[in-house]
Amino acid sequence: MRGQLDRWLFRLGAPERGPIELVQRRIYVLPSRAGLVFAVALVVMLLASINYGLSLGYGLVFLLSGAGIASILHAYRNLLGLRLRPGRCEPVFCGETASFLLVVENARATRRPALCLRLGKQRTAFELAPGETREVPVLAPTHRRGLTQPGRMVLETCWPLGLIRAWTVFVPDMPCVVYPAPEGAPPPLPPEGEAEGRERAASRPGDDDFAGLRAHQRADSPRHVAWKVLARGGPLLTKQFSGEAGGDLSLDWAQLPAHLDIEARLSRLTAWLLAAERSGRRYALRLPRVACAAGHGHEHLHRCLRELALHGTGQPENAR
């Protein structure tokens, strides 16, 4: 019902890619709650002035009325001409809060004070200097995996007196990838026997043999930190041992227990992807219709997580 009313009243349609320019037909102006109280007070003052024949009362009423009417123009002009563009939105795990960045551009040579961007119950107040372009974040909780859109956003202002509210409603095309929530207490990674033999450690004498250094990650054990490198002024690195750098790990949908439903499988694979990335091993992902070759690193991890997020959602191929 709310969506139908919005589409009819504010002429909302499909998400807009932008830029969205706020022209006359996109800006709405009505008295705020304080403005309604102010109008009632003026009416009472006017009636009192008429009843008692107070010339000064007439003057005060007309002066305040003029100020209220002038604030209509100022509130309207505070939004007129702004340009809005969808910005970045970093992927999050389901249940976390997504931060949608909206780019707001002020091409005018005057400042735009007291602006407020609203998404649901979340509000972000800001202002723009002359000629400034700013990324304005607005937060939204996530409840399901896949590509999610922020939906209906409102940009409003009550500047300068708080008596008049000017606002615009728009739906930006700003998809955010929501990964499945990782399983809270997943079982250990598949054993070595289920790993694919990449270059099976022909020369692998044992798990304690030093195999190299890699970038430090938060979950790494302090015992494996290369403290000598750090003491010489180098970056924070973690020692990698041959046991950790074993064969390619295969995280296969088909190998999961049959009693797990789709979301439980995705949560477990998400937890395993994170664990495999922390371990420093190469890993591959196999889903019913998608396979990611073995790899390692931030980009590979997010490619695999994205495939999990979009699994079975019917998203178009180019969304991947």
Side-chain angles (χ1 to χ4, degrees), residues 224-305:
H224 292 172
V225 173
W227 296 110
K228 292 183 179 179
V229 176
L230 185 64
R232 290 196 294 267
L236 186 59
L237 300 173
T238 297
K239 297 176 185 176
Q240 194 171 13
F241 296 91
S242 55
E244 297 174 345
D248 292 349
L249 187 63
S250 177
L251 305 178
D252 195 340
W253 175 281
Q255 299 298 324
L256 294 172
H259 67 274
L260 295 179
D261 61 17
I262 293 178
E263 297 304 321
R265 287 169 181 251
L266 294 173
S267 293
R268 178 161 299 180
L269 288 174
T270 301
W272 277 354
L273 284 174
L274 298 175
E277 179 67 22
R278 286 194 298 267
S279 72
R281 299 169 64 180
R282 287 165 50 92
Y283 50 92
L285 176 67
R286 286 194 175 86
L287 298 177
R289 294 185 179 180
V290 179
C292 296
H296 179 69
H298 180 80
E299 185 175 344
H300 179 67
L301 172 65
H302 286 277
R303 182 190 168 207
C304 294
L305 290 173

Side-chain angles (χ1 to χ4, degrees), residues 4-318:
Q4 293 178 350
L5 181 62
D6 279 352
R7 282 192 291 273
W8 174 76
L9 189 60
F10 300 112
R11 303 168 189 169
L12 298 180
E16 300 175 80
R17 292 184 177 275
I20 303 169
E21 184 166 0
L22 301 188
V23 294
Q24 180 181 1
R25 64 182 180 82
R26 301 199 66 144
I27 301 175
Y28 308 91
V29 178
L30 279 177
S32 64
R33 185 174 301 175
L36 292 175
V37 174
F38 180 74
V40 171
L42 287 182
V43 171
V44 172
M45 291 171 61
L46 179 61
L47 292 176
S49 300
I50 294 173
N51 188 45
Y52 294 105
L54 300 175
S55 300
L56 289 178
Y58 285 121
L60 181 59
V61 170
F62 295 147
L63 178 64
L64 294 178
S65 300
I69 293 173
S71 69
I72 298 175
L73 178 63
H74 284 284
Y76 167 77
R77 283 181 53 79
N78 204 29
L79 294 184
L80 184 66
L82 286 177
R83 292 166 64 89
L84 314 175
R85 286 184 285 112
R88 297 175 292 109
C89 182
E90 296 296 330
V92 296
F93 291 97
C94 186
E96 294 181 344
T97 300
S99 178
F100 294 94
L101 294 178
L102 183 75
V103 181
V104 186
E105 179 183 349
N106 175 24
R108 192 186 295 171
T110 56
R111 71 187 185 102
R112 309 274 191 150
L115 299 172
C116 180
L117 181 63
R118 187 157 55 85
L119 175 60
K121 296 180 180 178
Q122 301 292 330
R123 306 166 65 94
T124 303
F126 65 101
E127 65 176 40
L128 296 172
E132 181 183 9
T133 298
R134 172 178 294 191
E135 284 188 332
V136 182
V138 61
L139 306 178
T142 57
H143 303 289
R144 63 180 179 181
R145 65 178 173 86
L147 287 179
T148 184
Q149 293 275 4
R152 178 181 184 270
M153 284 187 174
V154 177
L155 180 63
E156 62 185 1
T157 181
C158 290
W159 191 80
L161 300 178
L163 303 177
I164 301 298
R165 174 178 178 253
W167 79 98
T168 185
V169 182
F170 56 98
V171 181
D173 185 12
M174 203 185 318
C176 175
V177 180
V178 180
Y179 300 147
E183 187 176 358
L189 288 169
E192 188 72 18
E194 297 181 22
E196 285 187 352
R198 171 171 55 114
E199 294 171 4
R200 269 316 155 153
S203 60
R204 185 174 140 191
D207 289 346
D208 293 333
D209 289 345
F210 178 71
L213 296 171
R214 62 172 173 80
H216 179 75
Q217 297 177 0
R218 186 178 301 177
D220 290 342
S221 171
R223 294 189 300 110
H224 292 172
V225 173
W227 296 110
K228 292 183 179 179
V229 176
L230 185 64
R232 290 196 294 267
L236 186 59
L237 300 173
T238 297
K239 297 176 185 176
Q240 194 171 13
F241 296 91
S242 55
E244 297 174 345
D248 292 349
L249 187 63
S250 177
L251 305 178
D252 195 340
W253 175 281
Q255 299 298 324
L256 294 172
H259 67 274
L260 295 179
D261 61 17
I262 293 178
E263 297 304 321
R265 287 169 181 251
L266 294 173
S267 293
R268 178 161 299 180
L269 288 174
T270 301
W272 277 354
L273 284 174
L274 298 175
E277 179 67 22
R278 286 194 298 267
S279 72
R281 299 169 64 180
R282 287 165 50 92
Y283 50 92
L285 176 67
R286 286 194 175 86
L287 298 177
R289 294 185 179 180
V290 179
C292 296
H296 179 69
H298 180 80
E299 185 175 344
H300 179 67
L301 172 65
H302 286 277
R303 182 190 168 207
C304 294
L305 290 173
R306 185 181 179 89
E307 295 296 346
L308 294 182
L310 300 181
H311 175 74
T313 59
Q315 298 290 344
E317 189 65 25
N318 57 8

